[in-house]
């Protein structure tokens, strides 16, 4: 009962279909976590207000200017202006239980051809193989955001933010285009090299589930041995790809990278992305007909081994909003807390000094925003830094408005970080061929 009250105070009861599922998972949490949630009860002022269609209510964000348009009206992103006037924002899609791809002939599986891009993200690869985004793997901010709402039931806010991060990580802000794999001439380089989603360091991080750390080679390709190691953790947890299984898998893979990768980077981006990709599996790859049950092999296997949908698969019946994502990544982190920091050589881990386990969800949200607004542009090329007003206009108009309810101090984040202008490469993808039963068809 105590936990139910706490979760209700977190605003979860209104936002998700089944708080009991979360309660069950909360059984994993220790005393420190419960203490943190107690703190939240007292800090209940930042609960998001949602209208019946699941969109954020209109709100203002103090200190935020929108020099190039964007912003939210009735929870929907508005058009951009000036240099960003060709950028098309995502639009809200309909939700509810639905067979995907069902009998829709337009969305049947077609294996990627020689000129088609595939990369780090199994979900985007699957969407491209089924034509929910462009089959050539060159997508846009709006196309990918709309597709992950339609197919996986991501909430509008979650979808818009995630695809915006994909765009700023490796795409072209002026056209909104990005490659879901490596660099591609079909994506313009208006603001410097568009290196694609596979580019290491912004969105692609160490400690992926089935991809190796960049230090060990191509960071975009699927590795059967990593998949097998995951299956062992799943087998030890009732054969389900549950939060409990990923609590163990994440810690195991973190410990392994920290011990063997001399440049292992477990910084703030790692915190958000490494936890996020694991959460996505048990929140949005599950079969919507059993939304309260973690997915099993028959459900998750086809996404990873063949980049296609399982037979008779339904998307989740309710949207997965950004507020739930924040709670879920924190909860997964707290199941097996590890130090944030970087290896500067083996046996020389330099802690970051940031401890997510003592943060409230509002602070976690601002920590995420800080990373998007500050650190990501810091990895851009010099050309982007010189055009920073465009980047800032996009971030202010497309991403920051979704954080309105978290009281983040935006003044801290509105200049490029100290590392800005360093050319970040590391796009070593040789993506493209179809994958069948976990083996690339070269
Ligand atoms: C526009 C939307 C998306 C973008 C920009 C995106 C981006 C990425 C990136 C950059 C990675 C690599 C992270 C790393 O280095 O560990 C990744 C991995 C992953 N993504 Fe996505 N993603 C998107 C949508 C989704 C969706 C909708 C799902 C689930 C339904 C998903 C599930 C995953 C999973 C499970 C991985 C880990 C793959 C592995 O390690 O084998 N993603 N994504």
């Amino acid at each position: 009962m105590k936990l139910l009250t706490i979760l209700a105070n977190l605003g979860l009861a209104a936002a998700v279909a089944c708080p009991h599922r979360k309660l069950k998972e909360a059984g994993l949490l220790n005393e420190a976590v419960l203490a943190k949630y107690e703190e939240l009860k007292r800090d209940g002022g930042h609960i998001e207000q949602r209208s019946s269609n699941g969109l954020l209510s209109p709100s203002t964000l103090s200190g935020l200017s929108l020099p190039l348009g964007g912003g939210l009206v009735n929870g929907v992103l508005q058009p951009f202006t000036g240099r960003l006037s060709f950028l098309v924002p995502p639009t809200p899609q309909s939700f509810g239980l639905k067979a995907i791809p069902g009998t829709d002939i337009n969305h049947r599986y077609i294996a990627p051809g020689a000129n088609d891009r595939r990369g780090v993200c199994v979900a985007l690869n699957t969407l491209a193989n089924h034509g929910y985004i462009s089959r050539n793997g060159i997508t846009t901010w709006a196309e990918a955001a709309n597709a992950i709402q339609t197919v996986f039931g991501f909430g509008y806010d979650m979808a818009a933010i995630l695809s915006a991060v994909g765009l700023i990580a490796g795409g072209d802000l002026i056209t909104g285009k990005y490659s879901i794999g490596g660099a591609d001439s079909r994506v313009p380089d208006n603001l410097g090299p568009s290196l694609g989603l596979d580019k290491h360091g912004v969105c692609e991080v160490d400690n992926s589930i089935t991809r190796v750390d960049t230090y060990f080679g191509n960071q975009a390709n699927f590795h059967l041995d990593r998949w097998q190691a995951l299956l062992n953790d799943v087998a030890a947890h009732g054969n389900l790809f549950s939060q409990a299984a990923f609590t163990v898998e994440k810690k195991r893979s973190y410990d392994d990278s920290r011990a063997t990768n001399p440049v292992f980077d477990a910084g703030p981006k790692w915190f958000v992305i490494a936890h996020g990709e694991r959460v996505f599996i048990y929140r949005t790859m599950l079969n919507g007909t059993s939304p309260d049950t973690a997915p099993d092999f028959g459900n998750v296997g086809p996404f990873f081994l063949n980049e296609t949908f399982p037979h008779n698969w339904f998307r989740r019946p309710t949207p997965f909003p950004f507020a739930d994502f924040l709670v879920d990544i924190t909860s997964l982190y707290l199941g097996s807390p590890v130090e944030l920091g970087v290896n500067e050589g083996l046996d020389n881990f330099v802690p970051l000094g940031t401890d997510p386990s003592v943060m409230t969800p509002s602070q976690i949200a601002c920590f995420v925003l800080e990373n998007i607004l500050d650190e990501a542009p810091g990895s851009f090329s010099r050309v982007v830094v010189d055009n920073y007003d465009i980047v800032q206009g996009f971030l202010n108009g497309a991403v920051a408005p979704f954080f309105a309810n978290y009281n983040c101090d935006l003044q801290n984040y509105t200049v490029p970080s100290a590392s800005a202008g360093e050319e970040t490469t590391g796009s070593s993808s040789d993506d493209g061929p179809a994958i069948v039963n976990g083996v690339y068809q070269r």
Side-chain angles (χ1 to χ4, degrees), residues 134-158:
S134 172
R135 290 185 184 270
N136 64 15
I138 309 301
T139 191
T140 66
W141 175 36
E143 183 186 65
N146 293 346
I148 65 176
Q149 293 176 73
T150 301
V151 173
F152 289 107
F154 275 55
Y156 177 68
D157 51 359
M158 186 69 224

Side-chain angles (χ1 to χ4, degrees), residues 361-417:
S362 289
Q363 287 169 331
I364 296 272
C366 297
F367 185 56
V368 172
L369 182 63
E370 178 179 359
N371 277 289
I372 299 173
L373 298 195
D374 182 17
E375 289 219 9
S379 303
F380 282 142
S381 72
R382 192 72 243 167
V383 189
V384 177
V385 177
D386 292 343
N387 289 281
Y388 191 69
D389 54 328
I390 300 175
V391 179
Q392 190 176 344
F394 174 72
L395 294 170
N396 281 12
V399 176
F402 289 111
F403 292 74
N405 294 298
Y406 296 107
N407 283 352
C408 307
D409 180 4
L410 289 172
Q411 301 308 324
N412 286 343
Y413 317 136
T414 48
V415 289
S417 67

